[in-house]
Structures are given as C-alpha cells and as structure tokens.
Coordinates of all heavy atoms in Angstrom, one line a residue:
M1 N -9.9 -8.6 3.0 CA -10.5 -7.3 2.8 C -9.6 -6.2 3.5 O -9.2 -6.4 4.6 CB -11.9 -7.4 3.4 CG -12.6 -6.0 3.3 SD -14.3 -6.1 3.6 CE -14.9 -6.4 1.9
F2 N -9.5 -5.1 2.8 CA -8.7 -4.0 3.3 C -9.3 -3.4 4.5 O -10.5 -3.1 4.5 CB -8.6 -3.0 2.1 CG -7.8 -1.7 2.5 CD1 -6.4 -1.8 2.7 CD2 -8.5 -0.5 2.7 CE1 -5.7 -0.6 3.0 CE2 -7.7 0.6 3.0 CZ -6.4 0.6 3.2
D3 N -8.5 -3.2 5.5 CA -9.0 -2.6 6.8 C -8.0 -1.5 7.2 O -6.9 -1.8 7.7 CB -9.1 -3.6 7.9 CG -9.6 -3.1 9.2 OD1 -9.8 -1.9 9.3 OD2 -9.6 -3.9 10.1
P4 N -8.4 -0.2 7.0 CA -7.4 0.9 7.3 C -7.2 1.0 8.8 O -6.2 1.9 9.2 CB -8.2 2.1 6.8 CG -9.6 1.7 6.7 CD -9.6 0.2 6.4
D5 N -7.8 0.3 9.7 CA -7.5 0.3 11.0 C -6.4 -0.7 11.4 O -6.1 -0.9 12.6 CB -8.8 0.1 11.9 CG -9.7 1.2 11.7 OD1 -9.3 2.4 11.7 OD2 -11.0 0.9 11.6
R6 N -5.9 -1.4 10.4 CA -4.8 -2.4 10.6 C -3.5 -1.8 10.1 O -3.5 -1.0 9.2 CB -5.1 -3.7 9.9 CG -6.2 -4.5 10.5 CD -6.5 -5.8 9.8 NE -5.3 -6.6 9.9 CZ -5.1 -7.8 9.2 NH1 -6.0 -8.1 8.3 NH2 -4.1 -8.5 9.4
P7 N -2.4 -2.3 10.5 CA -1.1 -2.0 9.9 C -0.9 -2.7 8.6 O -1.2 -3.8 8.5 CB 0.0 -2.5 10.9 CG -0.7 -3.6 11.7 CD -2.2 -3.2 11.7
Y8 N -0.3 -1.9 7.6 CA 0.0 -2.5 6.3 C 1.4 -2.1 6.0 O 2.1 -1.2 6.6 CB -1.0 -1.9 5.2 CG -2.3 -2.6 5.1 CD1 -3.3 -2.4 6.1 CD2 -2.5 -3.5 4.1 CE1 -4.5 -3.1 6.0 CE2 -3.7 -4.1 4.0 CZ -4.7 -4.0 4.9 OH -5.8 -4.7 4.8
R9 N 1.9 -2.7 4.9 CA 3.2 -2.4 4.4 C 3.2 -2.7 3.0 O 2.4 -3.4 2.4 CB 4.3 -3.3 5.1 CG 4.1 -4.8 4.7 CD 5.2 -5.6 5.4 NE 4.9 -7.0 5.0 CZ 5.7 -8.0 5.3 NH1 6.7 -7.8 6.1 NH2 5.4 -9.2 4.9
C10 N 4.3 -2.1 2.3 CA 4.4 -2.5 0.8 C 4.9 -3.9 0.8 O 5.8 -4.3 1.6 CB 5.5 -1.6 0.3 SG 5.7 -1.8 -1.5
S11 N 4.3 -4.8 0.0 CA 4.7 -6.2 -0.1 C 6.2 -6.3 -0.3 O 6.7 -5.7 -1.3 CB 3.9 -6.9 -1.1 OG 4.3 -8.3 -1.2
P12 N 6.8 -7.2 0.3 CA 8.3 -7.5 0.0 C 8.4 -8.1 -1.4 O 9.5 -8.1 -2.0 CB 8.8 -8.5 1.0 CG 7.6 -8.9 1.8 CD 6.4 -8.1 1.5
S13 N 7.3 -8.5 -2.0 CA 7.4 -9.1 -3.4 C 7.2 -8.0 -4.5 O 7.1 -8.3 -5.6 CB 6.3 -10.1 -3.6 OG 6.6 -11.2 -2.7
V14 N 7.2 -6.7 -4.1 CA 6.9 -5.6 -5.0 C 8.2 -4.8 -5.0 O 8.8 -4.4 -4.0 CB 5.7 -4.8 -4.5 CG1 5.5 -3.5 -5.2 CG2 4.4 -5.7 -4.6
A15 N 8.5 -4.4 -6.3 CA 9.5 -3.4 -6.5 C 8.8 -2.2 -7.1 O 8.0 -2.2 -7.9 CB 10.5 -3.9 -7.5
L16 N 9.2 -1.0 -6.5 CA 8.7 0.3 -6.9 C 9.8 1.0 -7.8 O 10.9 1.1 -7.3 CB 8.3 1.2 -5.8 CG 7.2 0.7 -4.9 CD1 7.0 1.6 -3.7 CD2 5.9 0.6 -5.7
R17 N 9.4 1.4 -8.9 CA 10.3 2.2 -9.8 C 9.8 3.6 -10.0 O 8.7 3.8 -10.5 CB 10.4 1.6 -11.2 CG 11.5 2.3 -12.1 CD 11.7 1.7 -13.3 NE 10.7 2.2 -14.3 CZ 10.5 1.8 -15.5 NH1 11.2 0.8 -16.0 NH2 9.7 2.4 -16.3
P18 N 10.5 4.5 -9.3 CA 10.1 6.0 -9.5 C 9.9 6.4 -10.9 O 10.7 6.1 -11.7 CB 11.2 6.7 -8.8 CG 11.9 5.7 -7.9 CD 11.8 4.4 -8.7
E19 N 8.9 7.2 -11.0 CA 8.5 7.8 -12.4 C 8.1 9.2 -12.1 O 7.7 9.5 -11.0 CB 7.5 7.1 -13.1 CG 7.8 5.6 -13.5 CD 8.8 5.5 -14.6 OE1 8.9 6.5 -15.3 OE2 9.4 4.4 -14.8
P20 N 8.1 10.1 -13.1 CA 7.7 11.5 -12.9 C 6.2 11.6 -12.4 O 5.9 12.5 -11.6 CB 7.8 12.1 -14.2 CG 8.9 11.3 -15.0 CD 8.7 9.9 -14.5
F21 N 5.4 10.7 -12.8 CA 4.0 10.7 -12.3 C 3.8 10.1 -11.0 O 2.7 10.2 -10.4 CB 3.1 10.0 -13.4 CG 3.5 8.6 -13.6 CD1 3.0 7.6 -12.7 CD2 4.2 8.3 -14.7 CE1 3.3 6.3 -13.0 CE2 4.6 6.9 -14.9 CZ 4.2 5.9 -14.1
G22 N 4.7 9.3 -10.5 CA 4.6 8.6 -9.2 C 5.6 7.4 -9.2 O 6.7 7.5 -9.0
A23 N 5.0 6.2 -9.6 CA 5.9 5.0 -9.6 C 5.2 3.9 -10.3 O 3.9 3.9 -10.4 CB 6.3 4.6 -8.2
L24 N 6.0 3.0 -10.8 CA 5.5 1.7 -11.3 C 5.7 0.7 -10.2 O 6.8 0.6 -9.7 CB 6.2 1.3 -12.6 CG 6.0 2.1 -13.8 CD1 6.9 1.6 -14.9 CD2 4.5 2.0 -14.3
A25 N 4.7 -0.2 -9.9 CA 4.9 -1.2 -8.9 C 4.8 -2.5 -9.7 O 3.8 -2.8 -10.3 CB 3.8 -1.0 -7.9
Y26 N 5.8 -3.3 -9.5 CA 5.9 -4.6 -10.2 C 5.8 -5.7 -9.1 O 6.7 -5.7 -8.1 CB 7.1 -4.8 -11.0 CG 7.1 -6.2 -11.7 CD1 6.3 -6.5 -12.8 CD2 8.0 -7.1 -11.2 CE1 6.3 -7.7 -13.4 CE2 8.0 -8.4 -11.9 CZ 7.1 -8.7 -12.9 OH 7.1 -10.0 -13.5
H27 N 4.9 -6.6 -9.1 CA 4.7 -7.7 -8.1 C 5.4 -9.0 -8.8 O 4.9 -9.5 -9.8 CB 3.3 -8.0 -7.8 CG 3.1 -8.8 -6.6 ND1 3.5 -10.2 -6.6 CD2 2.6 -8.6 -5.4 CE1 3.2 -10.7 -5.5 NE2 2.7 -9.8 -4.7
F28 N 6.5 -9.4 -8.2 CA 7.2 -10.5 -8.8 C 6.4 -11.8 -8.7 O 6.7 -12.8 -9.5 CB 8.6 -10.7 -8.0 CG 9.5 -9.5 -8.4 CD1 9.7 -8.5 -7.5 CD2 10.2 -9.5 -9.6 CE1 10.6 -7.4 -7.9 CE2 11.1 -8.5 -9.9 CZ 11.2 -7.4 -9.0
G29 N 5.6 -12.0 -7.7 CA 4.8 -13.2 -7.6 C 3.7 -13.3 -8.6 O 3.5 -14.4 -9.2
T30 N 3.0 -12.3 -8.8 CA 1.8 -12.3 -9.7 C 2.2 -11.7 -11.1 O 1.4 -11.9 -12.0 CB 0.6 -11.4 -9.2 OG1 1.1 -10.1 -9.1 CG2 0.2 -11.9 -7.8
R31 N 3.3 -11.1 -11.2 CA 3.8 -10.5 -12.4 C 2.9 -9.3 -12.8 O 2.8 -9.0 -14.0 CB 4.0 -11.5 -13.6 CG 5.0 -12.6 -13.1 CD 5.2 -13.6 -14.2 NE 6.2 -13.1 -15.0 CZ 6.6 -13.7 -16.1 NH1 6.0 -14.8 -16.5 NH2 7.6 -13.2 -16.9
R32 N 2.2 -8.8 -11.8 CA 1.2 -7.7 -12.1 C 2.0 -6.4 -12.0 O 2.8 -6.2 -11.1 CB 0.1 -7.8 -11.1 CG -1.0 -6.7 -11.4 CD -2.2 -7.0 -10.5 NE -3.2 -6.1 -10.9 CZ -4.5 -6.2 -10.5 NH1 -4.8 -7.2 -9.7 NH2 -5.3 -5.3 -10.9
L33 N 1.7 -5.5 -12.9 CA 2.2 -4.1 -13.0 C 1.1 -3.1 -12.5 O 0.0 -3.2 -13.1 CB 2.7 -3.8 -14.3 CG 3.4 -2.5 -14.5 CD1 4.8 -2.4 -13.7 CD2 3.8 -2.2 -16.0
S34 N 1.4 -2.3 -11.6 CA 0.3 -1.3 -11.2 C 1.0 0.1 -11.3 O 2.3 0.2 -11.2 CB 0.0 -1.5 -9.7 OG -0.6 -2.7 -9.5
F35 N 0.2 1.1 -11.4 CA 0.7 2.5 -11.5 C 0.3 3.2 -10.3 O -0.9 3.3 -10.0 CB 0.1 3.2 -12.8 CG 0.5 2.6 -14.1 CD1 -0.2 1.5 -14.6 CD2 1.6 3.1 -14.7 CE1 0.2 1.0 -15.8 CE2 2.0 2.5 -15.9 CZ 1.3 1.5 -16.5
L36 N 1.2 3.8 -9.6 CA 0.9 4.7 -8.4 C 1.0 6.1 -9.1 O 2.1 6.5 -9.5 CB 1.9 4.5 -7.3 CG 1.7 3.3 -6.4 CD1 1.8 2.0 -7.2 CD2 2.6 3.3 -5.2
K37 N -0.1 6.7 -9.2 CA -0.3 7.9 -10.0 C 0.0 9.3 -9.4 O -0.3 10.3 -9.9 CB -1.7 7.9 -10.6 CG -1.9 6.8 -11.6 CD -3.3 6.8 -12.2 CE -3.5 5.6 -13.0 NZ -4.9 5.6 -13.6
S38 N 0.6 9.2 -8.2 CA 1.1 10.5 -7.6 C 2.3 10.1 -6.6 O 2.3 9.1 -6.0 CB -0.1 11.2 -6.8 OG -0.2 10.7 -5.5
P39 N 3.2 11.2 -6.6 CA 4.3 11.0 -5.7 C 3.9 10.9 -4.2 O 4.5 10.2 -3.4 CB 5.2 12.2 -5.9 CG 4.8 12.6 -7.3 CD 3.4 12.3 -7.5
V40 N 2.8 11.5 -3.8 CA 2.3 11.4 -2.5 C 1.8 10.0 -2.2 O 2.1 9.5 -1.0 CB 1.1 12.5 -2.3 CG1 0.5 12.3 -0.9 CG2 1.7 13.9 -2.4
L41 N 1.1 9.4 -3.1 CA 0.7 8.0 -2.9 C 1.9 7.1 -2.8 O 1.9 6.2 -2.0 CB -0.2 7.6 -4.1 CG -0.7 6.1 -4.0 CD1 -1.5 5.9 -2.7 CD2 -1.5 5.8 -5.2
V42 N 2.9 7.3 -3.5 CA 4.2 6.5 -3.5 C 4.8 6.7 -2.1 O 5.2 5.7 -1.4 CB 5.2 7.0 -4.5 CG1 6.5 6.2 -4.3 CG2 4.7 6.7 -5.9
D43 N 4.9 7.9 -1.6 CA 5.4 8.1 -0.2 C 4.5 7.5 0.8 O 5.1 6.9 1.8 CB 5.5 9.6 0.1 CG 6.6 10.4 -0.7 OD1 7.5 9.7 -1.2 OD2 6.5 11.6 -0.8
L44 N 3.3 7.5 0.6 CA 2.3 6.8 1.6 C 2.6 5.3 1.6 O 2.7 4.8 2.7 CB 0.9 7.2 1.2 CG -0.2 6.7 2.2 CD1 0.0 7.2 3.6 CD2 -1.6 7.1 1.6
V45 N 2.6 4.8 0.5 CA 2.9 3.3 0.4 C 4.2 2.9 1.0 O 4.2 1.9 1.7 CB 2.7 2.8 -1.2 CG1 3.3 1.4 -1.3 CG2 1.3 2.9 -1.6
T46 N 5.2 3.7 0.7 CA 6.5 3.3 1.3 C 6.6 3.5 2.7 O 7.6 3.0 3.3 CB 7.7 4.1 0.5 OG1 7.5 5.4 0.7 CG2 7.6 3.6 -1.0
T47 N 5.8 4.3 3.4 CA 5.9 4.6 4.7 C 4.8 3.9 5.6 O 4.8 4.1 6.8 CB 5.9 6.2 5.1 OG1 4.6 6.7 4.6 CG2 7.1 6.8 4.4
L48 N 3.9 3.2 5.0 CA 2.8 2.5 5.7 C 3.3 1.7 6.8 O 2.8 1.7 7.9 CB 2.1 1.6 4.7 CG 1.0 2.2 3.8 CD1 0.4 1.1 2.9 CD2 -0.1 2.8 4.6
G49 N 4.5 1.0 6.7 CA 5.0 0.1 7.7 C 5.5 0.9 8.9 O 5.9 0.2 9.9
D50 N 5.7 2.2 8.7 CA 6.2 3.0 9.9 C 5.2 3.4 10.8 O 5.5 4.1 11.8 CB 7.0 4.3 9.3 CG 8.2 3.9 8.5 OD1 8.7 2.8 8.6 OD2 8.5 4.7 7.6
H51 N 3.9 3.1 10.6 CA 2.8 3.5 11.3 C 1.9 2.4 11.9 O 2.0 1.3 11.4 CB 1.9 4.5 10.5 CG 2.6 5.7 9.9 ND1 2.8 6.8 10.7 CD2 3.3 5.8 8.8 CE1 3.5 7.6 10.0 NE2 3.9 7.1 8.8
P52 N 1.3 2.7 13.0 CA 0.5 1.6 13.7 C -0.7 1.1 12.8 O -1.2 0.0 13.0 CB 0.0 2.1 14.9 CG 0.1 3.6 14.8 CD 1.2 3.9 13.8
D53 N -1.2 1.9 11.9 CA -2.3 1.6 11.0 C -2.4 2.5 9.8 O -1.6 3.5 9.8 CB -3.7 1.5 11.7 CG -4.0 2.8 12.4 OD1 -3.9 3.9 11.8 OD2 -4.4 2.8 13.6
V54 N -3.2 2.2 8.9 CA -3.2 3.1 7.6 C -3.7 4.4 8.0 O -3.2 5.4 7.4 CB -4.2 2.3 6.6 CG1 -4.4 3.3 5.4 CG2 -3.6 1.0 6.2
R55 N -4.7 4.5 8.8 CA -5.3 5.9 9.2 C -4.1 6.8 9.8 O -4.1 8.0 9.5 CB -6.5 5.8 10.1 CG -7.7 5.2 9.4 CD -8.8 5.2 10.3 NE -9.9 4.3 9.9 CZ -10.8 4.5 8.9 NH1 -10.7 5.6 8.2 NH2 -11.6 3.6 8.5
A56 N -3.3 6.3 10.6 CA -2.2 7.1 11.2 C -1.2 7.4 10.1 O -0.7 8.5 10.1 CB -1.5 6.2 12.2
A57 N -1.0 6.5 9.2 CA -0.1 6.9 8.0 C -0.7 8.1 7.2 O 0.0 9.0 6.8 CB 0.1 5.7 7.1
L58 N -2.0 8.0 7.0 CA -2.6 9.1 6.3 C -2.6 10.4 7.0 O -2.3 11.5 6.5 CB -4.1 8.8 6.0 CG -4.4 8.3 4.6 CD1 -6.0 7.9 4.6 CD2 -4.2 9.2 3.5
E59 N -2.8 10.3 8.4 CA -2.7 11.6 9.2 C -1.3 12.1 9.1 O -1.1 13.4 9.2 CB -3.1 11.3 10.6 CG -4.6 11.0 10.8 CD -5.5 12.2 10.5 OE1 -5.1 13.3 10.8 OE2 -6.6 11.9 9.9
A60 N -0.3 11.3 9.0 CA 1.1 11.8 9.0 C 1.5 12.3 7.6 O 2.6 13.0 7.5 CB 2.1 10.7 9.5
S61 N 0.7 12.0 6.6 CA 1.1 12.4 5.3 C 0.5 13.8 5.0 O -0.2 14.4 5.7 CB 0.4 11.4 4.3 OG -1.0 11.7 4.1
P62 N 1.0 14.3 3.9 CA 0.6 15.7 3.5 C -0.9 15.7 2.7 O -1.4 16.7 2.3 CB 1.6 16.2 2.5 CG 2.2 14.9 1.9 CD 2.1 13.9 3.0
V63 N -1.5 14.5 2.7 CA -2.8 14.4 2.2 C -3.9 15.2 3.0 O -4.1 14.9 4.2 CB -3.3 12.9 2.1 CG1 -4.7 12.8 1.4 CG2 -2.3 12.1 1.1
P64 N -4.5 16.1 2.3 CA -5.6 16.9 3.1 C -6.8 16.0 3.6 O -7.0 15.0 2.8 CB -6.1 17.9 2.1 CG -5.2 17.8 0.9 CD -4.4 16.5 1.0
P65 N -7.3 16.2 4.7 CA -8.4 15.3 5.2 C -9.5 15.1 4.3 O -10.1 14.0 4.3 CB -8.8 16.1 6.5 CG -7.6 16.8 7.0 CD -6.9 17.3 5.7
D66 N -9.8 16.1 3.5 CA -10.9 15.9 2.5 C -10.6 15.0 1.4 O -11.4 14.6 0.6 CB -11.4 17.3 2.1 CG -10.5 18.0 1.2 OD1 -9.2 17.8 1.4 OD2 -10.9 18.8 0.3
R67 N -9.3 14.6 1.3 CA -8.9 13.6 0.2 C -8.6 12.2 0.8 O -8.2 11.3 0.1 CB -7.6 14.1 -0.5 CG -7.8 15.5 -1.2 CD -8.6 15.4 -2.5 NE -7.9 14.5 -3.4 CZ -8.5 13.7 -4.2 NH1 -9.8 13.6 -4.3 NH2 -7.8 12.9 -5.0
H68 N -8.8 12.1 2.1 CA -8.5 10.7 2.7 C -9.3 9.6 2.1 O -8.8 8.5 1.9 CB -8.6 10.8 4.2 CG -7.5 11.5 4.9 ND1 -7.3 11.4 6.3 CD2 -6.5 12.3 4.5 CE1 -6.2 12.1 6.7 NE2 -5.8 12.7 5.6
G69 N -10.5 9.9 1.9 CA -11.4 8.8 1.2 C -10.9 8.3 0.0 O -10.8 7.1 -0.4
A70 N -10.4 9.3 -0.9 CA -9.9 8.9 -2.2 C -8.6 8.1 -2.1 O -8.4 7.1 -2.8 CB -9.6 10.2 -3.1
Y71 N -7.7 8.5 -1.2 CA -6.5 7.7 -0.9 C -6.8 6.3 -0.3 O -6.1 5.4 -0.6 CB -5.6 8.5 -0.1 CG -4.7 9.5 -0.9 CD1 -5.3 10.6 -1.3 CD2 -3.5 9.2 -1.3 CE1 -4.6 11.6 -2.2 CE2 -2.7 10.0 -2.1 CZ -3.3 11.3 -2.5 OH -2.6 12.1 -3.3
L72 N -7.8 6.3 0.6 CA -8.2 4.9 1.2 C -8.7 4.1 0.0 O -8.3 2.8 0.0 CB -9.2 5.1 2.2 CG -8.7 5.7 3.6 CD1 -9.9 6.0 4.5 CD2 -7.7 4.8 4.2
A73 N -9.4 4.6 -0.9 CA -9.9 3.7 -2.1 C -8.7 3.3 -2.9 O -8.7 2.2 -3.3 CB -10.9 4.6 -2.8
A74 N -7.7 4.2 -3.1 CA -6.5 3.8 -3.9 C -5.7 2.7 -3.2 O -5.3 1.7 -3.8 CB -5.6 5.0 -4.1
L75 N -5.6 2.8 -1.8 CA -4.9 1.8 -1.1 C -5.7 0.5 -1.0 O -5.0 -0.6 -1.1 CB -4.7 2.3 0.4 CG -3.6 3.5 0.5 CD1 -3.7 4.1 1.9 CD2 -2.3 3.0 0.1
A76 N -7.0 0.6 -1.0 CA -7.8 -0.7 -1.1 C -7.5 -1.4 -2.4 O -7.4 -2.6 -2.4 CB -9.3 -0.4 -0.9
G77 N -7.4 -0.7 -3.5 CA -7.1 -1.2 -4.8 C -5.7 -1.9 -4.8 O -5.5 -3.0 -5.4
L78 N -4.8 -1.2 -4.1 CA -3.4 -1.7 -4.1 C -3.3 -3.0 -3.2 O -2.6 -3.9 -3.5 CB -2.5 -0.7 -3.6 CG -2.3 0.5 -4.5 CD1 -1.4 1.6 -3.8 CD2 -1.5 0.1 -5.8
A79 N -4.2 -3.0 -2.2 CA -4.3 -4.2 -1.3 C -4.8 -5.4 -2.1 O -4.4 -6.5 -2.1 CB -5.1 -4.0 -0.1
D80 N -5.9 -5.1 -2.9 CA -6.5 -6.1 -3.8 C -5.5 -6.7 -4.8 O -5.5 -7.9 -5.1 CB -7.7 -5.6 -4.5 CG -8.9 -5.4 -3.7 OD1 -8.9 -6.0 -2.5 OD2 -9.9 -4.7 -4.0
A81 N -4.6 -5.8 -5.3 CA -3.6 -6.2 -6.2 C -2.4 -6.9 -5.6 O -1.5 -7.4 -6.3 CB -3.1 -5.0 -7.1
G82 N -2.3 -6.8 -4.3 CA -1.2 -7.4 -3.6 C 0.0 -6.5 -3.5 O 1.1 -7.0 -3.0
T83 N -0.1 -5.3 -3.9 CA 1.0 -4.3 -3.8 C 1.3 -4.0 -2.3 O 2.4 -3.9 -1.9 CB 0.6 -3.0 -4.6 OG1 0.3 -3.4 -5.9 CG2 1.8 -2.0 -4.6
I84 N 0.2 -3.8 -1.6 CA 0.4 -3.7 -0.1 C -0.3 -4.8 0.6 O -1.1 -5.5 0.0 CB -0.2 -2.3 0.4 CG1 -1.6 -2.2 0.2 CG2 0.6 -1.2 -0.2 CD1 -2.3 -1.0 0.9
E85 N 0.2 -5.2 1.8 CA -0.4 -6.3 2.5 C -0.4 -6.0 4.0 O 0.3 -5.0 4.5 CB 0.4 -7.5 2.3 CG 1.8 -7.5 2.8 CD 2.6 -8.7 2.5 OE1 2.3 -9.4 1.5 OE2 3.7 -8.9 3.2
P86 N -1.3 -6.7 4.8 CA -1.2 -6.4 6.2 C 0.2 -6.6 6.7 O 0.9 -7.5 6.3 CB -2.2 -7.4 6.8 CG -3.1 -7.7 5.6 CD -2.3 -7.6 4.4
A87 N 0.6 -5.7 7.6 CA 2.0 -5.8 8.1 C 2.2 -7.1 9.0 O 3.3 -7.6 9.1 CB 2.3 -4.6 8.9
D88 N 1.1 -7.6 9.5 CA 1.2 -8.8 10.3 C 0.8 -10.1 9.4 O 0.6 -11.1 10.0 CB 0.3 -8.7 11.5 CG -1.2 -8.4 11.2 OD1 -1.5 -8.2 9.9 OD2 -1.9 -8.3 12.1
H89 N 0.8 -9.9 8.1 CA 0.4 -11.0 7.2 C 1.2 -12.2 7.4 O 0.7 -13.3 7.6 CB 0.6 -10.5 5.8 CG 0.3 -11.6 4.8 ND1 -0.8 -12.1 4.4 CD2 1.2 -12.3 4.0 CE1 -0.8 -13.0 3.5 NE2 0.4 -13.2 3.2
H90 N 2.5 -12.1 7.6 CA 3.4 -13.2 7.7 C 3.2 -13.9 9.0 O 3.1 -15.1 9.1 CB 4.9 -12.8 7.6 CG 5.8 -14.0 7.7 ND1 5.9 -15.0 6.7 CD2 6.7 -14.4 8.7 CE1 6.8 -15.9 7.1 NE2 7.3 -15.5 8.3
A91 N 3.0 -13.1 10.1 CA 2.8 -13.7 11.4 C 1.5 -14.5 11.5 O 1.4 -15.5 12.1 CB 2.8 -12.6 12.4
H92 N 0.5 -14.0 10.7 CA -0.8 -14.8 10.8 C -0.8 -16.0 9.9 O -1.4 -16.9 10.2 CB -1.9 -13.9 10.3 CG -2.4 -12.9 11.4 ND1 -3.0 -13.3 12.6 CD2 -2.1 -11.5 11.5 CE1 -3.3 -12.2 13.3 NE2 -2.7 -11.1 12.7
S93 N 0.0 -16.0 8.9 CA 0.1 -17.1 8.0 C 0.9 -18.3 8.5 O 0.8 -19.4 8.1 CB 0.5 -16.7 6.5 OG 1.8 -16.2 6.5
V94 N 2.0 -17.9 9.3 CA 2.9 -18.9 9.8 C 2.1 -19.8 10.8 O 1.5 -19.2 11.8 CB 4.1 -18.3 10.4 CG1 5.0 -19.4 11.1 CG2 4.9 -17.7 9.4
G95 N 2.1 -21.0 10.7 CA 1.5 -21.9 11.7 C 0.0 -22.0 11.6 O -0.7 -22.5 12.5
A96 N -0.6 -21.3 10.6 CA -2.1 -21.3 10.5 C -2.5 -22.7 10.0 O -1.9 -23.4 9.3 CB -2.5 -20.3 9.4
A97 N -3.7 -23.0 10.4 CA -4.2 -24.3 10.0 C -4.5 -24.4 8.6 O -5.0 -23.4 8.0 CB -5.5 -24.6 10.9
P98 N -4.4 -25.5 7.9 CA -4.6 -25.5 6.5 C -6.2 -25.4 6.2 O -7.0 -25.6 6.9 CB -4.1 -26.9 6.0 CG -3.9 -27.7 7.3 CD -3.9 -26.7 8.4

C-alpha cells in the first residue's frame, strides 16, 4: 500500500520516455505502459529518491499545496502499477522470510 510518509523512487525496471505531455513509462518486468500526463509529475517521479519521503518531494516541487492531494493520488496509482516503489524495497526484500 502506498505510504507518502515513506521514501519512494522510480523503479529501476522502468524506463521513462519524455513526451510533450509528460512521459511514457514502460515497466520491463510487467511490460506495462503508463502515461505520466504532466512534466511536473515526471519531475516529481524522477526526483522522489532525492527526498526522505514523498511529502518532502511534493513540498520541494512546484506543485501548489492545494494540488498535493491530486498528485498523491497519481503517485498511488503509479505505485500500484510498479512505476514507483519504496526506496527501501530492495533492503526489505533481501533476506526476508519466505
């Protein structure tokens, strides 16, 4: 489940292709194609890993506070699609019990 109080990053299995509307995101593992429908969302996704959590990334972005809810919803959808993942995802999965 998406938690904006955790650190996230763009999945290393995802390639972003810039487009005039934002970007196409292709996940090599699932072969799923997603559309990031604004350049601001693309910048947010690509800089998530530079911040201690999603909320800090939003605060550092040009997204107005009254639009944070909409961007959090978009990021939750991208997390469900595997486009973004918890930044500590690998650390938690290594050595985890089956």
Side-chain angles (χ1 to χ4, degrees):
M1 176 164 272
F2 178 70
D3 179 358
D5 294 318
R6 291 182 64 191
Y8 276 75
R9 66 179 181 178
C10 185
S11 171
S13 298
V14 170
L16 296 176
R17 186 176 88 186
E19 295 289 342
F21 58 81
L24 293 173
Y26 181 75
H27 192 293
F28 290 99
T30 63
R31 303 179 85 183
R32 185 172 185 169
L33 184 65
S34 300
F35 295 87
L36 280 66
K37 296 180 183 178
S38 84
V40 173
L41 181 58
V42 175
D43 289 341
L44 184 58
V45 166
T46 58
T47 61
L48 279 174
D50 298 337
H51 300 277
D53 57 49
V54 174
R55 291 185 197 282
L58 259 176
E59 288 297 324
S61 78
V63 176
D66 65 333
R67 299 286 300 143
H68 283 195
Y71 276 79
L72 287 172
L75 290 169
L78 292 173
D80 287 344
T83 304
I84 64 171
E85 65 184 24
D88 55 358
H89 173 75
H90 182 69
H92 285 287
S93 62
V94 173

